[in-house]
Amino acid sequence: PGVYTVQCRAYNSVDEAASEATVVKTAYVLVVSHCTPVIGVTTSEDVGINYVSITNPNTGDKFENTSESGVEYTDYTDIGTTSLNFGGTYNFEIKRNTNINPMNRKIWIDWNVDGDFDDAGEHIATETSATTLSWTGSFTVPSVEKAFASSTRMRVGVSYNSDDNEPCGASSNPNVNRIGEFEDYSIQVVNDGDMPIITLIDADTLYIEQVATQAEVNYISPGATAYDPSQGNITPVEMNTDVDQTLPGIYYEIYSVSDASGNEAASVIRVVYVVADQTAPVITVTG
């Protein structure tokens, strides 16, 4: 395990010194090794995991796995990799076949692929001590700035009642008796490749009247919304504008947004005309 630099060197055999070229990729290969969870010396078919699923609510695509409980740890990363989109929201379900004993459940994902589950946002869900057969919930994948586009691990852990339930096991000491079970699954965060779409609120051309001073400015842009196929509504949208209501002229509002994968939407422009003041003053008699 570690971070490795790769160097590629090439040259012409006729004149090695004069023709040599070298390319260096710093920190190009990342090799990680996740800890093997330890529960102690006791397993239980009741305090265990019998079913795990992840569902994309937008497409209905589902990964699911049924397993036998009573096993300390099972690595299921070899049964296939589930793709998750940056910024996407997914539903999960964890089941057990019996509910004689109370237990707690947790899920972790190593988003930055550094070999642990200790970074911010990597503990994605918790169910406190309960006797439920099924546990459901949802989680949101981080943006491209916080998650690494590579194969990584999702770890599901259960532990008896309110006993410790940490990524590396129900007990770090194999001589301490704990009841629990852990399973690992292969996850890969990917770019969905879809561009979000910006939609203006109100018209794409507006006319507003000039005002005399900045203190009298009353124009508030209607704004815009943005929709991404994977993330849904990703409003707010960034707006750059040069509108000056104190000076007649033609102005522009330029809207832009990127989704969690870094895909940029096509910019949308609103034209704003500031026209000469056409509103007559109002006289009110006092007394």
Side-chain angles (χ1 to χ4, degrees), residues 32-251:
V32 300
S33 178
H34 295 86
C35 61
T36 298
V38 176
I39 66 166
V41 296
T42 302
T43 59
S44 167
E45 292 188 2
D46 182 60
V47 181
I49 304 166
N50 295 111
Y51 176 84
V52 173
S53 72
I54 301 174
T55 305
N56 184 332
N58 295 322
T59 64
D61 293 340
K62 176 186 283 190
F63 164 82
E64 54 186 345
N65 182 57
T66 302
S67 59
E68 297 294 329
S69 56
V71 181
E72 182 175 355
Y73 166 67
T74 309
D75 185 350
Y76 287 112
T77 57
D78 60 347
I79 66 173
T81 299
T82 301
S83 295
L84 307 177
N85 295 321
F86 287 105
T89 298
Y90 295 84
N91 300 329
F92 66 82
E93 184 174 17
I94 313 296
K95 294 180 182 179
R96 59 172 170 168
N97 292 336
T98 60
N99 60 342
I100 300 170
N101 296 286
M103 71 177 189
N104 67 85
R105 298 172 168 114
K106 291 183 180 180
I107 305 174
W108 303 266
I109 296 180
D110 181 14
W111 295 123
N112 62 357
V113 199
D114 65 349
D116 62 50
F117 302 94
D118 301 331
D119 301 288
E122 293 188 337
H123 176 196
I124 65 169
T126 297
E127 182 190 45
T128 56
S129 180
T131 56
T132 52
L133 287 171
S134 174
W135 172 42
T136 60
S138 63
F139 64 91
T140 299
V141 181
S143 65
V144 68
E145 291 83 8
K146 297 181 179 179
F148 195 67
S150 178
S151 294
T152 188
R153 289 189 180 229
M154 179 180 78
R155 178 161 292 177
V156 181
V158 303
S159 184
Y160 172 74
N161 200 7
S162 298
D163 284 353
D164 291 341
N165 187 354
E166 300 300 330
C168 291
S171 174
S172 60
N173 184 348
N175 298 316
V176 175
N177 188 25
R178 292 287 188 269
I179 301 174
E181 186 173 344
F182 290 81
E183 293 182 354
D184 278 0
Y185 294 90
S186 180
I187 296 293
Q188 182 166 17
V189 184
V190 299
N191 184 340
D192 60 14
D194 294 323
M195 291 173 50
I197 298 173
I198 298 173
T199 303
L200 292 175
I201 300 173
D202 207 341
D204 59 3
T205 303
L206 296 178
Y207 296 84
I208 59 176
E209 287 189 14
Q210 176 190 9
V211 295
T213 65
Q214 286 292 337
E216 298 175 292
V217 169
N218 57 18
Y219 172 69
I220 299 175
S221 172
T225 61
Y227 177 83
D228 182 75
S230 294
Q231 298 174 240
N233 189 337
I234 58 171
T235 309
V237 179
E238 181 181 350
M239 180 186 72
N240 290 311
T241 181
D242 59 352
V243 173
D244 182 356
Q245 197 177 351
T246 66
L247 185 65
I250 304 173
Y251 300 93

